[in-house]
Every structure is written in C-alpha cells, then in structure tokens.
Amino acid sequence: MINMFTDIKELSKDKMFLLLNIKDFNDKGFENVFQNLSKKQKLDFEKFELSQEAKNYRCQRNVKCKGIDFRNLPEHFDNHILNDLVLCYRDNLIWLSVSELFTHEQLRQVFDKDIELQYKEEESRKAAMTEEEKAKEAAIWKKIREDSEPKFYGNMGEPETPEEFKRKYGYDPRGAEYNKEE
C-alpha cells in the first residue's frame, strides 16, 4: 500500500480519499503510509480530513460500509454482511484500503458473493428488457457467433502475439500487409 504514495509530490483527491479510508478502517496500514509521507503531504491530508468534502465523502462511504468493523472481521460472513462487503469491494477506494485485512477464505466469500450478485443483476436486466431490446441483443450475439474472422483480443483466451494468432488462424490480425507469405 505504501507504494501507492511514494514518488508523488502532491496527493490527488483520490489519494486523499484513499488515505482517509485507510485511516478510518486500517490502523496499521495508516501508520505505515502516513510515516512515509512528506511534511507537506501530511499537512495537506490533515487539512483535507477536516474539510466538508471529506465529511460528505465519509457519509456516502459509510452507507456502503453499514456498520462493518474491518478491525474485527468474523471468519465466515452472513448474507447481510456479504452484500455490504460486495458494495465495498466494488468501490476501489474502499477496497484498496481494507483488502489486506482479509484472509484468503474471507476474500473467496466476498468474490463468490460478487459473482452471484452479478448473475442476479444480469438476470434482472434481461427480465426488464423489452422484446425489441431482446431481439437487438440476440442479433448482436448471432453476428458475433457467425463471424468467420475472429478478432484479436490479446491474451483473453487467444494467442498472446499476432504471430501466434497467425499460426493458429492462418492470417495476421494487423492487416493485409502482414499476411504476405515470408
């Protein structure tokens, strides 16, 4: 976590919010980070911490973290806490400040719950679609499935380099000038 604050002269707003979260949720992490800040950064943060912007942010953030005590996390979470933890997980500034406090098993519970909620959200989205929207989406997926020339997306289940792509599919994804025989 300290690495995020080294080699910067001035703390950005996001870094200020992150530092505020670390202070509120992760005592050890805050001590480690704060001692490595410059005098100016420390003063800037202390001033920011007292600002109305910081107070407003804390109020909004605390809605997501409803009563979660990150200093005393149970080994197994109930459904209610997991739902709140997923909201924290989806907020990068909160999650960066607390993720190191979780065990591997606790992280697995949060990640699994996030996946479960994503599936439910997708099902709800599909259920709320009109017939016209469903037809448009079906047409898009049909076009993707019927595409005779697969696209190059890097290392997303595809070859890592254009050369590997060419060996696998028989043509270079960069264009005709690269497809000439060598």
Side-chain angles (χ1 to χ4, degrees), residues 55-70:
K55 289 175 187 170
N56 293 342
Y57 173 77
R58 275 185 166 134
C59 288
Q60 290 174 330
R61 178 206 63 205
N62 290 343
V63 168
K64 292 178 185 172
C65 302
K66 300 176 203 132
I68 298 172
D69 182 4
F70 290 104

Side-chain angles (χ1 to χ4, degrees), residues 155-167:
N155 194 19
M156 293 177 54
E158 293 291 341
E160 291 186 20
T161 65
E163 289 77 20
E164 289 176 15
F165 187 95
K166 186 173 181 178
R167 280 193 295 274

Side-chain angles (χ1 to χ4, degrees), residues 120-159:
K120 287 181 181 177
E121 290 164 2
E122 180 64 14
E123 291 301 316
S124 295
R125 183 189 71 80
K126 286 181 179 179
M129 290 172 73
T130 65
E131 290 302 317
E132 184 180 312
E133 291 170 328
K134 288 178 184 177
K136 278 183 181 177
E137 187 169 307
I140 290 169
W141 282 108
K142 182 179 179 192
K143 183 178 177 188
I144 290 170
R145 283 190 297 276
E146 292 174 352
D147 189 1
S148 64
E149 292 188 11
K151 306 294 184 270
F152 179 66
Y153 294 108
N155 194 19
M156 293 177 54
E158 293 291 341

Side-chain angles (χ1 to χ4, degrees), residues 96-125:
L96 281 172
S97 63
V98 298
S99 61
E100 68 184 24
L101 302 173
F102 290 80
T103 65
H104 179 73
E105 176 59 31
Q106 290 169 325
L107 289 172
R108 175 61 35 220
Q109 291 175 60
V110 174
F111 299 155
D112 289 347
K113 185 63 173 185
D114 183 47
I115 291 169
E116 177 187 323
L117 291 175
Q118 285 179 33
Y119 281 124
K120 287 181 181 177
E121 290 164 2
E122 180 64 14
E123 291 301 316
S124 295
R125 183 189 71 80

Side-chain angles (χ1 to χ4, degrees), residues 166-167 169-172 175-182:
K166 186 173 181 178
R167 280 193 295 274
Y169 293 110
Y171 71 95
D172 195 302
E177 66 271 15
Y178 295 97
N179 284 313
K180 296 175 184 153
E181 291 299 318
E182 298 167 16

Side-chain angles (χ1 to χ4, degrees), residues 68 73-74 76-86 110:
I68 298 172
L73 293 167
H76 295 282
F77 303 120
D78 64 26
N79 223 16
H80 176 72
I81 291 176
L82 273 174
N83 287 329
D84 293 340
L85 285 172
V86 167
V110 174

